[in-house]
Amino acid sequence: MATTSAGASETPKSASAPRSASSAAREVVFSVRHLWKVFGPKADRIPEDTSVAGLSAQELREKTGCTAAVRDVSFDVHKGEVFVVMGLSGSGKSTLVRCLTRLIEPTSGGLEMDGEDVRAMDRSSLRELRRRRASMVFQHFGLLPHRTVVDNVAYGLEIQGVSKAERRERATEMVEKVGLAGLEKRRPGQLSGGQQQRVGLARALAVDPEVLLFDEPFSALDPLIRRDMQEEVVRLHREEGRTMVFITHDLAEALRVGDRIALMRDGEIVQLGTPEEIVGSPADDYVRDFVRDVPREQVLTVRRAMRPAEDGESDQGPALTPDTLISDAIEAVARCGGAARVVDEGRCLGIVDHACLLNVVARVDHRPEEVAA
Amino acid sequence: MSMFTAPPIAAALKVDAKPRPVQQLLNRRGLAKLLLLAVAAAVLVPLLHAKYGAAWPSSLTVDVSGPLGRTSDWIIDNRDSHWLFTYFLGHLSNAVVLSVRGVYLLLLALGWTGVTAGVTLLAWRVAGVRIAATALISFLVSGLLGMWVPTMQTLALMVVAVVASVVVGALLGLAAGLSGRLFKLLRPVLDTMQVLPAFAYLLPVVLVFGIGVPAALLATVIYAAPPMARLTALGLRGADAGVLEAVSSLGATGRQRLLTARLPLARKELLLGVNQSIMMALSMVVIASMIGAAGLGDRVYQALASVDVGAALAAAIPIVLLAIVMDRTTAAAGERLGAEPDTSGPKLLRGRLVWAGIGVLTAVLALVGRLTGSLVWPTGWVVAIARPVNDFKEWMVGHLYSGVPVIGGTADWAAHFTNWVLNPLRDGLTALPWYGTLLIVAALAWLIGTWRTALTAVLAMAAIGVLGVWKPSMNTLSQVIAALVVTLVLGFGIGVLAAGSKRFEAILRPVLDVMQTMPQFVYLIPVVALFAVGRAPAAAAAVVYALPAVIRITTQGLRQVDAAAMESARSLGATRWQTLRQVQLPLARPALLLAVNQGVVLVLAVVIIGGLVGGGALGYDVVTGLATGDLALGLVAGVAIVCLGLMLDRVTQPTERRTTGKGA
């Protein structure tokens, strides 16, 4: 267990380690504890009222007229990771991300950023937080239609009171960084959706925030463009290592960009873990249903598929690292025609052969353990 | 977004999923309303009839002419001494006189060369070459018609009135845009002010300021400021929530939000507000000639009083041209907003230096005019059209008014319309017991709207009775109804045709554009030429005035019907007529109701003004009240007009939020 997240429903999983968050004690950026956001009359009473706090969404609405968009959510976002919150529409994920900078005021619970209590902040320190520490990219871009691209990108700096020359310079730099050089003088209305979202991304980056918050940033884009933008985000993250909180309803997108994924349903986190944990060991039927169509060979690693080495096998065949994806292992096995070794720091951990790999693809691996979880 | 979109979608699905029960519920509800009213009527009618009789009872009438006359006398006596006048209204009135005078003198000093050049260049800068050419031609034509001085008088009034209306309206709108409570408070007031005929505003300002420029200008501002306020508030409130959220997420303060996001996002609405304010102001400045506004309107008014169609036309043409220039310039400026900086046109007309350039050029041309000694339009260049127009009108009177074989003459038509439609309708309405009228009003308003609108409508109608002007109001009402029916038949017919044929719509559009920009007053001239004076021409003017709006709303409503619904009807093999009747018209019902509502409001406005050309009834009372100084008579008629307008609007006002209260 490498992560120490406090997610209530996080499944303990020992078979696999998180993909990139390998160090145990990482700096925590956002720390969320028992956060609630309830809409409706007398909303602030709901979280404390034990008689209704446990009701289902439907029952809660019938009984109190309130909707709990976020209910009793706890998690940590670590420095430098891409933390994905995924769920269907209405699951409360967009509300949750807005609660992080109090664009929506949480009803109750604890919320800290770098150890500072965000909920206790007054207006000016909250404004400072929004100006310099956390900026957001929106699904529908939220660009100012009457400003040019470069002025849109510079807008955050303008709000901060940065001089015109300086903000122009930084904005131009950002426009180039997101690949829009040459379009500085256009208006948002003259750009395609993908280009507009690049402007939104540049605007968020221009203020050099500690955390980037993405609210379903690519949902409104065409599939091909979406793919481009996802790669752009992955690239940016690789280059800068900026912490990101990424909201999406698209599982493929979550698996592609996320280091860890929190899966939400009806305002609650159903499972929190690495993509491999979510796909390999779904916490319940809901999650299992959710990940059913995921091509497992592209998410799971050989660590899951391997079997103990039998005599003489541990020094034969191609060597794979434990983090190798099943799909890559299939290729290696197919090429050599026999079994492959899983080697970590010179030690043979196990063997993958045709049967092991096929089992994973066919979902007949690790059955007992899943049921136990 | 998920949390916000989910509930409305769910609600929409709920409604969509079971349209039948909802429909049935509505039907049943309508039936229930009618039943309830019938029961109430069965109980109340015999009682009321036994007690009061069929005519509006005198015991329920309050004679307000005494107190009103005393108020008027008091104001006249105290105008120079009371603090209210010396410290507030007096200053206001002086400021108005001074500013109008100042602008007028400036325009005169610029001379016709300077003014024409300045306006043309301005139009070029903000709206492009074509509109600049329109402006140039318009001003030259005004001069040619010998109307230069009255045009400048009207222009001076317009400049001051528009600036005042826009400032007042924008401030009100800003307040309402930022404060939800104020918006709730202000919105019904502004909505109501927009449906009231211009005539209703004349008397109160005359009561306070007396006849003269201040009264005319204030009436104009009161009439023209509401659209600006309304659109400003709506623009500020309607700003894209996503953009505002993004702005907040970047840590903007309230002020930064307003200045960098909300106001710029509302630019289109603001400019539309300016455009509407200008058009309303022009309409009112012309009508306000009756209370002391000099200029083109006054010329028309004088000419109409002596049925001098030629002179009226000479003054009306500049009004129409002025309206077109102002409308097109502001509309084009609005359309250009947000578009790429224009690269067409000479380089001279771009950038900031242009404004200075316009100033310099105007000054130079003004100087040239001054040096050549032709400040006012040279008299030698005037083309007198009054006489030929009048000759033509005489010819029409001789040849077209009656006795044309088969079709009869225009005067015959007017007489037939009066005898066979207006008279029976008026007599019927007058003969109808007053409680019957109230019941019909209540039933209509309740069926189309809510009990609130029904209550307002009934109260407004009752107020007319209480004021003792039941009979003239019924007369006016009969003209409104007759004109409305004609308008709707023509408007829906043409609207359906235009919605069906792109070519027909393309031909129609410029005609409608011009018709919609013309001030109400102007419509009286051609109908007087065609039908002489009387109630029929007033109704005809009303029809012509209201028609464009009805056609336009009908066409748009039919066009905006969900294409998928149309396609599915066609795929099922529906004929064009079936599609129209079973899909388009039902789906366009909100638009059609809106067309009726707009039609009523516009028809009423002109029927009232028809008092000037023999329309009689309430409009005539206002005119007489103004002409004879009998303010009480005019004021009562004015209030009755307000009540009638309120009633007609409420009766035809569909419920805006039918779904509220039904969700849970």
Side-chain angles (χ1 to χ4, degrees), chain A residues 323-345:
Chain A
D323 291 339
T324 310
L325 289 177
I326 301 284
S327 57
D328 296 333
I330 289 175
E331 193 188 337
V333 169
R335 275 186 199 287
C336 76
R341 293 173 298 151
V342 180
V343 181
D344 191 20
E345 290 168 356

Side-chain angles (χ1 to χ4, degrees), chain B residues 194-267:
Chain B
Q194 283 212 312
V195 305
L196 297 184
F199 257 41
Y201 294 104
L202 296 181
L203 264 298
V205 288
V206 169
L207 181 69
V208 176
F209 290 95
I211 285 183
V213 171
L217 196 110
L218 280 167
T220 308
V221 171
I222 294 172
Y223 188 63
M228 184 70 200
R230 211 165 155 262
L231 281 160
T232 308
L234 289 177
L236 286 178
R237 308 219 130 233
D240 184 345
V243 176
L244 291 185
E245 187 180 38
V247 169
S248 293
S249 85
L250 287 164
T253 59
R255 229 176 87 98
Q256 286 174 325
R257 247 157 71 99
L258 179 67
L259 291 179
T260 60
R262 294 187 81 165
L263 280 177
L265 285 174
R267 280 181 320 168

Side-chain angles (χ1 to χ4, degrees), chain B residues 3 73 110 119 187 252 274-275 285 357 452 518 563 653:
Chain B
M3 266 331 292
D73 289 346
L110 283 175
V119 171
R187 184 160 186 189
V274 172
N275 175 285
V285 157
R452 265 168 211 272
M518 289 205 277
Q653 193 170 62

Side-chain angles (χ1 to χ4, degrees), chain B residues 89-322:
Chain B
L89 298 176
H91 289 302
L92 194 62
S93 135
N94 284 342
V96 166
V97 171
L98 274 179
S99 42
V100 172
R101 184 114 207 108
V103 176
Y104 179 57
L105 288 180
L106 177 70
L107 289 174
L108 281 192
L110 283 175
W112 69 271
T113 46
V115 171
T116 310
V119 171
T120 308
L121 290 172
L122 199 71
W124 199 344
R125 172 68 181 86
V126 300
V129 172
R130 280 182 54 191
I131 289 154
T134 317
L136 179 65
I137 293 169
S138 302
F139 274 77
L140 292 181
V141 167
S142 305
L144 278 175
L145 289 170
M147 287 289 154
W148 187 259
V149 170
T151 306
M152 288 308 107
Q153 286 171 327
T154 300
L155 200 60
L157 257 178
M158 278 294 294
V159 169
V160 178
V162 166
V163 168
S165 311
V166 166
V167 169
V168 170
L171 288 178
L172 273 177
L174 192 64
L178 297 181
S179 147
R181 202 176 303 162
L182 197 65
F183 182 69
K184 264 190 196 147
L185 214 69
L186 216 54
R187 184 160 186 189
V189 179
L190 294 180
D191 284 351
T192 306
M193 283 180 85
Q194 283 212 312
V195 305
L196 297 184
F199 257 41
Y201 294 104
L202 296 181
L203 264 298
V205 288
V206 169
L207 181 69
V208 176
F209 290 95
I211 285 183
V213 171
L217 196 110
L218 280 167
T220 308
V221 171
I222 294 172
Y223 188 63
M228 184 70 200
R230 211 165 155 262
L231 281 160
T232 308
L234 289 177
L236 286 178
R237 308 219 130 233
D240 184 345
V243 176
L244 291 185
E245 187 180 38
V247 169
S248 293
S249 85
L250 287 164
T253 59
R255 229 176 87 98
Q256 286 174 325
R257 247 157 71 99
L258 179 67
L259 291 179
T260 60
R262 294 187 81 165
L263 280 177
L265 285 174
R267 280 181 320 168
K268 289 233 156 174
E269 281 85 354
L270 292 178
L271 256 169
L272 186 63
V274 172
N275 175 285
Q276 287 207 1
S277 271
I278 289 179
M279 300 324 288
M280 305 271 287
L282 184 59
S283 188
M284 192 63 173
V285 157
V286 173
I287 290 172
S289 58
M290 299 178 58
I291 56 168
L296 295 167
D298 194 41
R299 298 294 177 101
V300 177
Y301 180 49
Q302 305 288 355
L304 278 180
S306 54
V307 200
D308 181 349
V309 174
L313 194 67
I317 291 172
I319 295 177
V320 173
L321 292 175
L322 215 51

Side-chain angles (χ1 to χ4, degrees), chain A residues 67 69 89-90 92-95 98 103-104 127 130-131 134 136 138-139 142-147 155-156 158-159 185 187 190 203 215, chain B residues 1-7 240 242-243 245-254 256-257 259-261 264-265 267 337-341:
Chain A
T67 312
S89 61
K93 55 193 190 306
S94 289
T95 310
R98 280 169 175 72
L103 281 175
I104 291 177
R127 220 158 30 225
R130 289 180 188 167
R131 284 183 180 183
M136 196 153 164
F138 294 88
Q139 180 179 7
L143 302 177
L144 293 163
H146 58 285
R147 291 177 169 234
Y155 185 72
E158 187 183 330
I159 292 289
K185 294 280 167 234
R187 303 271 164 111
Q190 300 166 309
R203 178 177 66 184
D215 178 35
Chain B
M1 298 286 100
S2 49
M3 266 331 292
F4 305 108
T5 49
D240 184 345
V243 176
E245 187 180 38
V247 169
S248 293
S249 85
L250 287 164
T253 59
Q256 286 174 325
R257 247 157 71 99
L259 291 179
T260 60
L265 285 174
R267 280 181 320 168
L337 274 186
E340 264 298 81

Side-chain angles (χ1 to χ4, degrees), chain B residues 419-501:
Chain B
N419 288 335
W420 297 107
V421 179
L422 287 176
N423 282 349
L425 199 59
R426 180 192 61 188
D427 296 344
L429 279 175
T430 318
L432 193 71
W434 58 275
Y435 40 79
T437 316
L438 289 188
L439 262 175
I440 293 172
V441 166
L444 274 177
W446 204 11
L447 277 182
I448 298 176
T450 59
W451 65 270
R452 265 168 211 272
T453 55
L455 192 67
T456 322
V458 169
L459 285 180
M461 205 64 203
I464 291 174
V466 171
L467 285 171
V469 282
W470 186 264
K471 246 184 103 170
S473 298
M474 286 305 120
N475 187 355
T476 300
L477 188 59
S478 72
Q479 295 177 42
V480 170
I481 292 173
L484 179 68
V485 170
V486 176
T487 309
L488 291 183
V489 169
L490 287 177
F492 284 163
I494 299 175
V496 167
L497 287 181
S501 152

Side-chain angles (χ1 to χ4, degrees), chain B residues 4 22 66 121 147 170 205 303 353 379 458 467 500 531 537 545 647 655:
Chain B
F4 305 108
V22 171
L121 290 172
M147 287 289 154
V205 288
L353 269 176
T379 38
V458 169
L467 285 171
F531 305 114
Y545 181 65
M647 185 277 281
T655 337

